Amino acid sequence: MPNLLLELRSEEIPARMQRKAAGDLKKLVTDALVEAGLSYEGAREYWTPRRLALDIHGLTARSADVREERKGPRTDANEKAIEGFLRGAGLSSVSEAQVVSDPKKGDFYVAVISKPGRATEEIVTDIMPGIIRDFPWPKSMRWGKASSKPGALRWVRPLQSIVCTFGPEHEETTVIPFEIDGITASNITYGHRFHAPEPITVRRFDDYAANLEKAKVILDAERRKDIILHDARDIAFANGLELVEDEGLLEEVAGLVEWPQVLMGSFEEDYLSIPSEIIRLTIKTNQKCFVTRKQGEETLSNKFILVSNIQASDGGKEIVHGNGKVVRARLSDALHFWKRDQGNLPDLETLTASAAKFGLDINKPLDQRMAKLDALDVTFHAKLGTQGARVARIRTLAKELADITGADAALVDRAAVLAKADLRTEAVGEFPELQGLMGRKYAVLQGEDASVAAAIEDHYKPQGPSDRVPEDKVAITTALADKLDTLIGFWAIDEKPTGSKDPFALRRAALGVVRILLERKVRLPLRATTKDIDLLSFFHDRLKVYLRDQGARHDLIDAVLTPDADDLLMVARRVEALTAFITSEEGKNLLAGTKRATQLLAAEEKKGTVIADGVSPALLKLDAEKELFAVISGASKDASDAVAGEDFRSAMEALSKLRGPVDRFFEDVLVNDEDAAIRANRLALLRLIREATGTVADFSKISG
C-alpha cells in the first residue's frame, strides 16, 4: 500500500512548541484522511528546529464508494417537510426519490445517495491547505509582501517549503502539488542551514531521512536527545566529572539543534562561592548549558557543557570561548546579587514601622527584605490586598494551626513572618523559581533556627503530586497556613477554578493540603478552619483524586465521604479499612446481604409502606429474625464504639458478625408478610441493618 510523506519547513520553530506541533500535525492530517474515507496502517511525526514531518504508511490509494439510503417523510407529509428532506439529500425533486411502503407506517420517501470514491491525491490536495492555514500555533506571524493582504498565511515562523510525496514502498512516488500562498508542495527539501544548504530531492520517508542525515540533519528528536545526553555524559566522565542531568533542558536543547555537537567550557572557580542552584539556573537560563559536578559529590565544578549546531573546523574552540564569555558575565551578575542580598538595604530608616509591625530585627538582611516588602505595599491581588497583609493573615492562621500540629509556636511565628521575605531579594528577582530556597539560604546565613530556615523553603511544598511533602512540624504548619490562606482568600472573592482554567493554581494548593494532612497524619477540622462548605467540597474533590491515584476504588470513597466530613485523615483511614474488609470473603458476603436489605427497604419506603418505629421482639416469629435482632444490637454498638475510638478495622470486624444472621434471614424469612404488623416489624429490622453498617459506610454506594 502507498505511503505519504509530508514536510513543512520554516525558519526556526521555538523549541517549546515543536513536540506539540508535530503531534497536532499528525492528528489533524490523519483525522482528516479518515474522515474522507481513507485508512492507514501507521503514522509517526518528526520535528527539528526547522521542520515538521509526517510519515504515514499503508495509506489506501482511494476512498471507497459510498451508497447511503436516507429515510424521508411520509408521501402525504406537508410540503415544507418534503422540501427540507430534498434539500438535505441533495435532490432537486421528489421524482429523484424512491417511495417505500411500510405496512404499519404507510408510504414514505427514501433518498439513495451514491458518492464515488476519490483518489488519495485529490483528498490530500483538498485537506492540506486548510490544515496549514488553520494550524493551532500558540503564536503565529505573517511575513513578506503578502502579509498586508487580508487572509494572508500565518505560521509560527516564515514557511519556506513543503514536501508532499505519495506512492508505493518500492516504486516511483508522485508529488501532490497543492499550493498555499504561493508555496507549492514538491519533492525538494534542504539540509543543515550552514553545512548543507543545497536542495535535496526526496521520494519517500526512508531516503528522505537518510538524505537529511547526510546533509547534517538528524530528523528524530529522541535520537538527538540521546546523542546529546550520552556525549555530555562521556565528555564529563573524561574530565573526571559527572553531568547534572536536566530532562527539561535536554528537551529544549534538542529543539535548538539539527546536528548536535557537544563541547565543554569553563569559568573561574571563584564563582563557585555562589550557591549551586543560582549557578545552574544562570547557565541554564541564559546559555542553555548543562552544569557538572565531581563524581559522587553535590557541589558543582567550574566546567559546563554546551551543545552547538555547527561542526566547527577548529574543534569548537571559538564557540566555547564565546559561550564562556557570556557565562562569566552572567555569573558575575549572579555573584553581585548574592552579595547584595547579604548586605543592608540603603533606606533602613524608612522601614522601622514595618519592622515593628512584624517584630523584625532591622539589623538582619532577611528581616530588612520583609520590612521592605511590606513598606512598598507590593500587591498580592487587587481584591486580596498587599503581600504584607497576606503575611499578616498567614501569621495569624499559622498561630492557630500550631496548636493542632504541635509545632513550636514561636518558631512558627518567625517562619511565617520571614517566609515571603526573599521575594525582595535580587536573586529571586532574577530567578523567581528560587523563591523559598534562597530564603532558606539567607536565613541560615543570619543564624535562624534550622526549623525556621527549613519552613521558609518548604512552605511552598508540595507543588505537585510528585513533589516532596514538608516533614518538620514548623514547615508543615507554615505550608498549611500559606495554602489555606490562598484558598480561603480566593474563595472569598469568588475566584474559583472553572473547567480546565485554574489561573491561581488553587487545585494544586488544595491537593497540597490534602497530601500534607494524609502523609503527615495531621487531624485538621477543615470546615471550622475555612468556614466555607463549598471550599470543603473542593477539598473532597481533591481528596478523591488523591485516593484514586493511590489505588482506592471510587465507590468505596463515595461510601465513606459524607458532605460534612472535614477530617480528611479519618476519611482516608475509613477507606483503607473498608477496602481491606470489602475484598475479604466475609466482606463480600455481608455486602451482598446488606445491599439486598437496603434495596428492599428503599423500595418499600418509596411506595410508602408502613415501617415500625422500632423492632418489637414480640412480633419476631422465626428463629432467623430473632437471631438477627439479637446479633445486630451488639454488632451495632461494637461498631459504633470502634468508630468513636477511630479503630475502623475493629468496626469492620464487629459488622462481620452480621454476615451469617443476615444470610439466614433472607433464606428463611419473607419480609413482606401478609400480616401488616409483622411486615412493618421486619422492615424495621432491615432498617437496623442499614443503620448498623451506616456507622462505617454507606454500603448502598458500594458496587458488587
Side-chain angles (χ1 to χ4, degrees), residues 224-236 243 250 253 257 259-265 290 304-311 315-316 319-320:
R224 292 198 304 275
K225 286 174 65 174
D226 191 61
I227 290 169
I228 293 168
L229 180 60
H230 284 86
D231 285 359
R233 285 173 177 169
D234 290 347
I235 196 171
L243 176 72
L250 180 61
V253 171
V257 297
W259 191 248
Q261 304 296 306
V262 177
L263 305 166
M264 176 174 278
F290 298 86
F304 64 91
I305 291 176
L306 62 104
V307 182
S308 170
N309 192 37
I310 298 174
Q311 190 171 333
I319 296 172
V320 169

Side-chain angles (χ1 to χ4, degrees), residues 240-244 292-301:
L241 305 168
E242 64 182 21
L243 176 72
V244 177
T292 63
R293 60 191 168 211
K294 292 183 179 178
Q295 293 177 7
E297 296 184 10
E298 287 298 317
T299 55
L300 299 183
S301 78

Side-chain angles (χ1 to χ4, degrees), residues 76 92 221 229 283 309 379 404 431 475 489 505-506 531 653 674 676:
D76 57 358
S92 57
L229 180 60
I283 293 175
N309 192 37
T379 299
I404 295 170
F431 301 114
L506 301 182
K531 301 177 178 62
E653 290 173 7
E674 292 181 358

Side-chain angles (χ1 to χ4, degrees), residues 203-229:
R203 292 175 297 171
R204 57 183 59 85
F205 178 77
D206 288 346
D207 71 279
Y208 164 74
N211 284 331
L212 279 181
E213 186 142 348
K214 291 176 186 175
K216 301 291 193 284
V217 174
I218 295 174
L219 184 64
D220 188 344
E222 295 303 325
R223 193 164 149 240
R224 292 198 304 275
K225 286 174 65 174
D226 191 61
I227 290 169
I228 293 168
L229 180 60

Side-chain angles (χ1 to χ4, degrees), residues 427-548:
V428 172
E430 181 73 9
F431 301 114
E433 55 267 59
L434 291 180
Q435 60 188 26
L437 189 147
M438 294 311 302
R440 177 177 191 162
K441 291 185 178 297
Y442 294 134
V444 170
L445 286 172
Q446 68 178 36
E448 298 296 332
D449 185 280
S451 290
V452 171
I456 292 172
E457 177 180 3
D458 289 355
H459 84 281
Y460 290 106
K461 297 184 176 299
Q463 295 195 43
S466 58
D467 194 16
R468 66 179 177 84
V469 175
E471 296 184 17
D472 184 277
K473 288 184 178 181
V474 176
I476 289 170
T477 309
T478 313
L480 284 172
D482 176 66
K483 291 167 178 58
L484 288 170
D485 173 74
T486 297
L487 290 159
I488 293 168
F490 281 106
W491 244 251
I493 63 173
D494 200 27
E495 288 278 5
K496 305 168 187 175
T498 57
S500 61
K501 294 183 178 179
D502 186 10
F504 303 108
L506 301 182
R507 290 188 181 93
R508 186 175 70 186
L511 180 60
V513 171
V514 169
R515 287 192 62 200
I516 292 172
L517 298 182
L518 270 55
E519 294 178 31
R520 295 297 174 250
K521 297 178 172 50
V522 177
R523 303 283 305 279
L524 177 64
L526 279 172
R527 187 168 58 176
T529 303
T530 63
K531 301 177 178 62
D532 191 312
I533 294 295
D534 185 49
L535 180 52
L536 179 61
S537 176
F538 185 68
F539 277 114
H540 286 178
D541 291 341
R542 296 302 97 198
L543 175 66
K544 290 178 182 179
V545 171
Y546 175 82
L547 291 177
R548 284 200 296 266

